[in-house]
Amino acid sequence: MMNFGLSDEQKQLQELARKFAKEEIIPKAPHHDETGDFPLEITKKAWELGIMNTHIPQEYGGLGLPVLDGCIVTEELAYGCTGIATPMEANTLAASPVLVAGNEQQKKEYLGRLTAEPSFAAYCVTEPGAGSDVSGIRTTAKKVGSDYVINGSKMWITNGSVANWYFVLTYTDPSQKHRGMTGFIVPANTPGITVGKKEWNMGQRASDTRGITFEDVKVSEKLRLGQEGDGFKIAMKAFDLSRPVVSIGAVGLARRALDESIQYATTRKTFNQAIANYQAVSFMIADMAKDIEAARLLVYQCAWLIDQGQRNTKQAAFAKAFAADMAMRVATDAVQVFGGYGYSSEYPVEKLMRDAKIYQIYEGTSQIQRLIIAKEIFERA
């Protein structure tokens, strides 16, 4: 039997996150967008309220909520500001390799760090010359006794300067290509790590995005995730957990753009009537509403699958590609509904348009999602 409704517990969780976004995020989002200041106080309050790290199992201090429940929370936070929601979402991505492949000691220590106090982690895979082509990374880890020595540079790392620890993907055997990759947990205070300048991005400016350089960084083999050569597989499995959460962030942003458009269209008048009465505007808003609903259902489906212990790679790619492209289109149309005012920073839709673009790029571009979908289709044809 199918059930498209939320449980009473999920509705309470949704209302809690919605209230937090309304009272704590929306009033402060313009300041963080203008200054780029990291939203530390806001995220501390979210942590105290229990709406950060919802995915971490109870035995490590988290709530142990299903991925679907985490999506319900994230949509509301993203409605408030995706630049503020992203640092919290990034914990899900960074923790996912540990959830997928960590041993009991690794989970207890490093997942426990995120739940013991307000703190962050970062997923270090992308490099200056390797984004969509993960096999193009150049960071290496060389075995020296019972340790590994890591050298290389990562780029566009969310939570770069605030992270307590990093998941770092390296090559331990470059000759094996992706089968020679190995992942490590690297504490941020390890000697040899240099954090670069904050990147001033088009949107999501509250998020802390930086380059990270590893120069003769020594880590114990106890911090290796899985075996040598497991790194690529672990990194990709992590996306099955994190892509639903990222995708629902795009839905939250689009829903905010829709609400702003509805409010403006019903109050703005031209030729003595509200612009909502014009078919050109009302049809644009109707398209926004239907696409947001479709995107949310795709996200819920891929989240539900992973919660049932089923593989969701194709459905996660469906959700990520559709939601990202939808959010960009909806935000752009919202600017159009506002007309000249939409192009002004005095109104929120220009920020939403800037914030939306990154969803088509990070955690796998929209083009990469289509490659994944095609691969899934033809390999199982």
Side-chain angles (χ1 to χ4, degrees):
M1 180 180 295
M2 287 188 178
N3 184 351
F4 288 96
L6 301 183
S7 67
D8 289 341
E9 291 79 9
Q10 288 171 328
K11 289 177 182 177
Q12 290 171 5
L13 192 63
Q14 183 183 58
E15 184 55 36
L16 178 68
R18 185 170 292 173
K19 185 173 184 289
F20 182 83
K22 180 180 179 180
E23 296 179 357
E24 299 292 341
I25 297 179
I26 291 175
K28 300 165 187 173
H31 164 79
H32 290 282
D33 179 60
E34 292 166 9
T35 64
D37 291 345
F38 188 76
L40 187 59
E41 292 304 314
I42 296 174
T43 55
K44 279 183 179 179
K45 290 179 180 179
W47 181 89
E48 290 166 357
L49 203 58
I51 53 177
M52 269 183 68
N53 307 313
T54 59
H55 60 293
I56 294 178
Q58 292 181 353
E59 56 264 38
Y60 310 117
L63 294 178
L65 295 181
V67 175
L68 177 56
D69 291 40
C71 287
I72 292 168
V73 170
T74 299
E75 180 180 343
E76 301 306 322
L77 300 179
Y79 181 96
C81 174
T82 56
I84 293 173
T86 288
M88 294 186 266
E89 292 171 16
N91 273 11
T92 304
L93 176 58
S96 291
V98 182
L99 287 168
V100 166
N103 58 39
E104 186 62 25
Q105 183 178 355
Q106 290 168 339
K107 290 178 180 178
K108 184 176 180 180
E109 172 65 25
Y110 292 96
L111 298 179
R113 288 191 184 191
L114 300 179
T115 58
E117 61 182 7
S119 60
F120 298 91
Y123 183 89
C124 295
V125 173
T126 301
E127 298 189 2
S132 296
D133 179 16
V134 176
S135 64
I137 67 169
R138 296 186 177 182
T139 299
T140 60
K142 184 178 180 181
K143 188 76 180 292
V144 180
S146 60
D147 297 322
Y148 287 85
V149 178
I150 298 176
N151 282 283
S153 296
K154 301 295 182 178
M155 193 62 190
W156 313 113
I157 305 305
T158 302
N159 292 342
S161 75
V162 297
N164 180 278
W165 55 269
Y166 307 114
F167 165 73
V168 183
L169 189 64
T170 73
Y171 268 121
T172 45
D173 186 357
S175 68
Q176 295 298 310
K177 299 191 176 180
H178 73 274
R179 292 183 178 86
M181 294 181 178
T182 305
F184 296 88
I185 300 168
V186 181
N189 61 358
T190 307
I193 295 175
T194 302
V195 177
K197 66 177 179 64
K198 175 183 170 65
E199 299 295 330
W200 189 253
N201 295 325
M202 175 191 291
Q204 296 201 9
R205 291 172 177 167
S207 178
D208 184 72
T209 309
R210 299 174 186 255
I212 311 289
T213 301
F214 300 87
E215 186 174 0
D216 294 331
V217 174
K218 185 184 293 185
V219 296
S220 167
E221 64 181 351
K222 294 179 180 179
L223 295 181
R224 186 187 66 212
L225 286 171
Q227 301 300 313
E228 286 193 10
D230 288 347
F232 183 82
K233 179 174 63 177
I234 292 168
M236 294 305 105
K237 282 186 176 180
F239 283 137
D240 289 346
L241 290 172
S242 65
R243 276 186 179 141
V245 181
V246 173
S247 302
I248 205 68
V251 174
L253 182 150
R255 200 183 96 222
R256 174 72 180 280
L258 171 64
D259 285 353
E260 296 288 348
S261 297
I262 292 170
Q263 182 181 14
Y264 186 80
T266 54
T267 56
R268 169 67 168 164
K269 292 184 176 181
T270 62
F271 304 103
N272 297 317
Q273 62 176 320
I275 63 172
N277 292 333
Y278 296 110
Q279 189 179 81
V281 174
S282 64
F283 275 21
M284 199 180 301
I285 290 174
D287 282 338
M288 292 181 190
K290 70 175 176 60
D291 290 351
I292 290 168
E293 194 71 17
R296 183 184 294 109
L297 290 172
L298 279 173
V299 177
Y300 279 13
Q301 181 196 37
C302 75
W304 180 85
L305 281 171
I306 199 76
D307 286 337
Q308 302 307 307
Q310 299 181 43
R311 188 169 178 270
N312 74 340
T313 302
K314 181 172 69 174
Q315 286 78 12
F318 283 164
K320 174 63 167 60
F322 187 84
D325 292 347
M326 176 277 300
M328 190 70 239
R329 184 171 60 253
V330 166
T332 302
D333 284 349
V335 172
Q336 193 70 20
V337 169
F338 275 71
Y341 289 114
Y343 200 65
S344 167
S345 60
E346 294 298 314
Y347 289 81
V349 289
E350 70 85 31
K351 175 184 180 296
L352 294 172
M353 183 176 172
R354 288 188 288 105
D355 288 349
K357 184 58 190 175
I358 192 61
Y359 282 105
Q360 294 179 304
I361 299 173
Y362 68 6
E363 287 224 32
T365 65
S366 292
Q367 289 72 31
I368 287 294
Q369 302 310 314
R370 286 163 170 81
L371 285 174
I372 294 169
I373 294 165
K375 182 173 181 287
E376 291 288 311
I377 289 170
F378 291 111
E379 284 189 349
R380 288 160 179 76

